[in-house]
Amino acid sequence: MATRTVHAVCSHDCPDSCAVLVTVDELSGKATRVAGDPSHPVTRGFLCGKVAKYLDRVYSPDRLLYPMRRRKGVAKGPVQQSELEKVFERISWDDALNEIAARLKNISDEHGPESILPYSYAGTIGQLGYGSMDRRFFHRLGASQLDRTICSTTGGAAFNAVYGMKMGPAPEDFAHAKLIIAWGANIHGNNVHLWPFIEEARRNGAKLIVIDPYKTRTAALADWHITIHPGTDAALALAMMHVILRDGMQNDAYIAANTHGFAQLAEHVRSYTPEFAAAATGISAADIEKLARMYMAAKPAAIRMNYGIQRSENGGASARAVAMLPLLTGAWMHRGGGVQLSTSGAFPFNSKALQMPELMLASPLGRNARVINMSSLGGVLTEENNPPVKALFVYNSNPAAIAPNQSAVLRGMARADLFTVVHEQFLTDTADYADILLPAPSFLEVKDVQGAYGHYFVQISQPAIAPLGESQPNWWLFGQLAQRMGFPEACFRDTADELIDAALKISAPAFAGITRERLEREQRVSVAAMGADALPTFHAPTESRYGTNASEKFPLEMLARKADNWMNSTFANIPTHQTMEGRHLGPDLGLLEMHADDATPRGIRDGDTVEVWNSRGSLTLRAHVNGSVQPGVVATRMGWNKLAADGKGVNALTSERLNDLAGGPTFYSTLVEARRLS
Ligand code: SF4
């Protein structure tokens, strides 16, 4: 069999941005194998479990392959795969684009262009797929702008406040560390290419400490798993600073040369004693002292912090406090020392040229459009707004499953007067509400350029196979739509190569000499690495065991976790991935993991069907009484609503309350109660 090998890049929302070698059968044009590129210094020849089985997703019989329109008279709501043809009818791209353009034009004329809301996130993190022609289109239209806060904004703002940029030790440098703290970071589950470097460090005597309220795969493999009450990370980090300064262990020379505001910080942390933090975090004062001393003594000491700690009400303060720790110790001086949240600050792609925000001035608005926080979608669709949202255009996201306050989101999406377009690979919970459904390609089918948030290589991804069916990338779709709307600007006719050139056209030193032609030749190029102040304060989240919203009615803190074998809601419908996650095909009860101290008084035993609820909603789950969580904490996992027996997902219980920095969501500040049903 004659085959060729194509270099692609995994564009899923994951720090590792793996280099993928795709074997393609020359005769059929079909991909027959995907593998990690052994020559990539971080991918090192392997892929995670999710993408190792990627061809099951690409060639799934459930892929959406053609544009479709909701049949007349069919109400919006959950659709099973077998009902697809009953609910939607196949149409041509021409008909789909003409209809969308006409509807958007009418809505804009009648209610103003801000009544149109794009909704997208990181379904793909390639530059073209993530944000290029789509932004140009919505800017030119004058549509509401979406504040894309749902994942990383708060942590990014925290790093910008402390360091002015988002960077950290390269993954390869973790091999040199003598102590690694995984803080809210399930490295083994969803940053697996860092793991070999940690193993190498451990072979050389390093210790791994995991700070996490949940016993993740990473925690189970650690030298020390410190369980912490959700949302209290700031208290722990501030108490570590207290111990370091109380005992004079700080690196004064480093602090004097490299920081501002040390005197204020020193004064500020005086009240954060280990005893105070013990009461907040549930970690003993002795363990907090021990942790601070271990952190000080180890050289180099690396912290891998992940976005989990920012997803509670005090998340911004938590992220800033943890980010400050290496500044007291001077850990940055040692190769492998410091703190890594994201390396994305190393990639100065020219987003202005790609997205052209100045086009808003050419829109009917003639000014910058209003901004809507994506974590508030439920309220935006169901409460009064001026102008009201009358059209929702969803791509790269599945808000019906992943947005907080799910019942409001679904109520809003079910509105008959809301015109909804969804660009997707599968019939997701969001696709169920589409008026027009458009087929999207996988990363094997498109060209793109991509940085990373877990390493320092910029890469080009080549299309390995032709798009399945009639699927088209979103940059093509929005260029076509712009032309049908009559937008005269030439930028709407840019090709993929022209968009890649625009992304790379920047004078920043990190991108010096990096061109599309060079990336086509070399596949990847390493970018140069490394580059405010306010004092973070610990407040117990209002919706937590110590918060002002604590109540006897809802005493359990709930972790709305991500599954290990899918990515938020992506992959949740693929049978192989369900099997890996221990789920069964078809409607199933999700798990409610709990501690025996909480289960026993409620008469709940392992395997019982339970209801978990709060004032926002309820879920029916199966109790799993195991060692994954501490007393007072329960955990359940995100997935597709319609694959759950009760048709609901974990966000039925989360709130739209925003956190303390950059408007991030508070998935991990959620109180619930549970009871046995059977
Ligand atoms: S580890 Fe991340 S980047 Fe690599 S293949 Fe898996 S999902 Fe993609």
Side-chain angles (χ1 to χ4, degrees):
M1 184 171 77
T3 60
R4 65 193 156 90
T5 302
V6 181
H7 290 259
V9 182
C10 175
S11 70
H12 285 284
D13 187 6
C14 166
D16 297 2
S17 281
C18 286
V20 181
L21 298 180
V22 188
T23 308
V24 181
D25 174 26
E26 293 275 25
L27 202 61
S28 66
K30 282 187 88 171
T32 55
R33 182 168 182 262
V34 291
D37 184 345
S39 72
H40 189 290
V42 178
T43 305
R44 304 218 295 190
F46 75 98
L47 301 173
C48 67
K50 295 175 275 266
V51 174
K53 298 185 167 57
Y54 204 63
L55 297 182
D56 289 351
R57 179 179 175 89
V58 173
Y59 294 116
S60 163
D62 294 345
R63 274 282 297 267
L64 297 174
L65 297 176
Y66 311 102
M68 301 184 104
R69 176 201 288 132
R70 177 171 296 276
R71 290 181 189 274
K72 277 206 170 39
V74 180
K76 297 175 183 179
V79 184
Q80 296 306 324
Q81 188 68 36
S82 56
E83 302 166 327
L84 177 70
E85 309 278 332
K86 268 194 238 156
V87 174
F88 295 100
E89 59 185 339
R90 182 176 170 181
I91 54 175
S92 67
W93 265 107
D94 257 348
D95 285 350
L97 292 165
N98 287 337
E99 184 167 334
I100 296 167
R103 291 290 300 270
L104 294 185
K105 236 184 220 166
N106 287 345
I107 288 168
S108 174
D109 289 347
E110 194 174 334
H111 302 280
E114 286 170 310
S115 60
I116 299 165
L117 179 67
Y119 198 96
S120 74
Y121 197 65
T124 165
I125 60 170
Q127 287 293 302
L128 275 50
Y130 177 76
S132 60
M133 198 66 91
D134 55 317
R135 310 297 162 93
R136 292 180 184 181
F137 174 77
F138 289 113
H139 289 151
R140 180 63 178 78
L141 192 61
S144 288
Q145 301 185 77
L146 188 72
D147 199 5
R148 291 171 171 82
T149 57
I150 204 143
C151 180
S152 63
T153 320
T154 297
F159 264 66
N160 283 334
V162 177
Y163 293 106
M165 59 176 53
K166 276 208 287 189
M167 286 209 209
E172 302 93 311
D173 286 349
F174 276 70
H176 299 277
K178 288 295 174 217
L179 176 73
I180 296 160
I181 301 179
W183 202 318
N186 181 11
I187 295 162
H188 206 270
N190 39 45
N191 178 199
V192 69
H193 290 82
L194 183 58
W195 190 252
F197 300 109
I198 292 176
E199 281 190 323
E200 194 179 329
R202 293 176 89 183
R203 280 196 297 275
N204 293 325
K207 297 281 181 234
L208 173 66
I209 298 174
V210 172
I211 301 171
D212 202 309
Y214 185 88
K215 191 171 180 182
T216 60
R217 287 185 200 171
T218 314
L221 294 166
D223 296 295
W224 186 15
H225 173 203
I226 301 174
T227 54
I228 183 170
H229 292 161
T232 64
D233 304 85
L236 176 59
L238 290 161
M240 287 173 71
M241 293 189 213
H242 173 100
V243 172
I244 290 167
L245 299 182
R246 182 199 64 197
D247 295 354
M249 294 188 285
Q250 74 277 10
N251 185 331
D252 288 320
Y254 183 85
I255 291 167
N258 296 288
T259 68
H260 300 287
F262 172 69
Q264 292 96 316
L265 179 69
E267 184 56 37
H268 182 69
V269 301
R270 262 177 205 274
S271 59
Y272 289 97
T273 61
E275 291 71 27
F276 168 86
T281 62
I283 304 166
S284 73
D287 278 351
I288 294 171
E289 298 260 0
K290 179 178 157 191
L291 174 65
R293 279 195 300 276
M294 281 178 77
Y295 180 63
M296 273 312 299
K299 290 183 181 44
I303 300 174
R304 175 63 168 111
M305 155 183 165
N306 215 329
Y307 288 105
I309 75 164
Q310 54 152 55
R311 291 197 185 113
S312 52
E313 291 172 35
N314 205 212
S318 294
R320 284 188 297 140
V322 174
M324 286 178 186
L325 281 167
L327 294 172
L328 295 188
T329 66
W332 292 106
M333 293 189 302
H334 312 287
R335 185 173 181 195
V339 54
Q340 188 205 83
L341 172 68
S342 165
T343 59
S344 64
F347 301 92
F349 288 109
N350 193 342
S351 57
K352 192 169 178 311
L354 269 183
Q355 303 180 356
M356 302 179 69
E358 68 276 14
L359 286 169
M360 275 187 280
L361 301 181
S363 75
L365 282 180
R367 58 167 168 80
N368 287 348
R370 71 175 172 184
V371 178
I372 287 177
N373 189 321
M374 72 189 300
S375 303
S376 310
L377 182 66
V380 167
L381 293 180
T382 53
E383 291 161 13
E384 241 177 60
N385 266 298
N386 188 16
V389 171
K390 290 285 186 181
L392 183 68
F393 205 131
V394 184
Y395 53 105
N396 288 344
S397 187
N398 183 9
I402 60 88
N405 196 8
Q406 190 169 92
S407 61
V409 172
L410 297 183
R411 232 179 20 257
M413 293 186 65
R415 279 172 35 201
D417 68 325
L418 180 74
F419 176 59
T420 301
V421 182
V422 179
H423 184 232
E424 246 304 346
Q425 294 173 6
F426 288 96
L427 186 64
T428 60
D429 290 321
T430 301
D432 292 352
Y433 292 81
D435 291 290
I436 302 281
L437 194 47
L438 303 172
S442 70
F443 76 83
L444 261 51
E445 298 153 57
V446 294
K447 186 169 187 175
D448 214 323
V449 65
Q450 191 169 314
Y453 58 98
H455 61 64
Y456 287 107
F457 294 90
V458 58
Q459 304 179 81
I460 201 155
S461 188
Q462 299 288 359
I465 56 174
L468 262 69
E470 294 180 4
S471 54
Q472 289 282 3
N474 66 48
W475 66 262
W476 178 89
L477 136 70
F478 286 108
Q480 291 293 313
L481 215 42
Q483 291 169 53
R484 279 170 170 81
M485 298 286 290
F487 299 159
E489 291 83 359
C491 65
F492 291 114
R493 285 185 284 279
D494 279 357
T495 63
D497 282 350
E498 285 165 335
L499 289 168
I500 292 173
D501 290 342
L504 293 172
K505 201 168 157 196
I506 190 152
S507 57
F511 269 16
I514 301 181
T515 61
R516 176 169 53 85
E517 290 76 13
R518 181 171 168 203
L519 286 171
E520 309 250 19
R521 272 196 318 274
E522 301 175 21
Q523 279 87 45
R524 65 182 160 271
V525 178
S526 170
V527 296
M530 285 324 292
D533 205 349
L535 304 173
T537 300
F538 171 71
H539 301 288
T542 54
E543 191 161 333
S544 73
R545 68 182 77 196
Y546 301 118
T548 49
N549 282 8
S551 77
E552 282 173 14
K553 236 168 126 192
F554 302 119
L556 300 170
E557 294 170 318
M558 189 189 80
L559 299 172
R561 293 192 68 240
K562 293 156 192 280
D564 287 330
N565 296 293
W566 48 77
M567 193 167 287
N568 300 318
S569 67
T570 307
F571 293 102
N573 63 318
I574 303 295
T576 37
H577 294 69
Q578 291 175 339
T579 307
M580 290 194 295
E581 191 63 24
R583 294 288 302 257
H584 307 290
L585 304 186
D588 190 14
L589 288 180
L591 293 182
L592 182 73
E593 293 174 87
M594 56 195 311
H595 193 278
D597 288 2
D598 296 315
T600 308
R602 290 170 174 82
I604 296 172
R605 285 165 312 198
D606 194 51
D608 280 350
T609 303
V610 291
E611 181 187 20
V612 53
W613 80 98
N614 60 20
S615 57
R616 291 177 288 269
S618 73
L619 297 175
T620 305
L621 301 168
R622 178 166 294 120
H624 194 26
V625 183
N626 60 3
S628 295
V629 287
Q630 61 194 302
V633 178
V634 294
T636 185
R637 300 174 195 187
M638 196 182 285
W640 281 26
N641 308 341
K642 63 184 158 189
L643 296 180
D646 62 358
K648 288 183 283 188
V650 64
N651 282 307
L653 303 178
T654 56
S655 80
E656 288 180 57
R657 189 182 300 114
L658 302 178
N659 72 9
D660 60 338
L661 187 65
T666 56
F667 293 115
Y668 301 154
S669 296
T670 301
L671 285 171
V672 297
E673 177 55 299
R675 71 184 175 103
R676 182 169 172 266
L677 289 179
S678 67

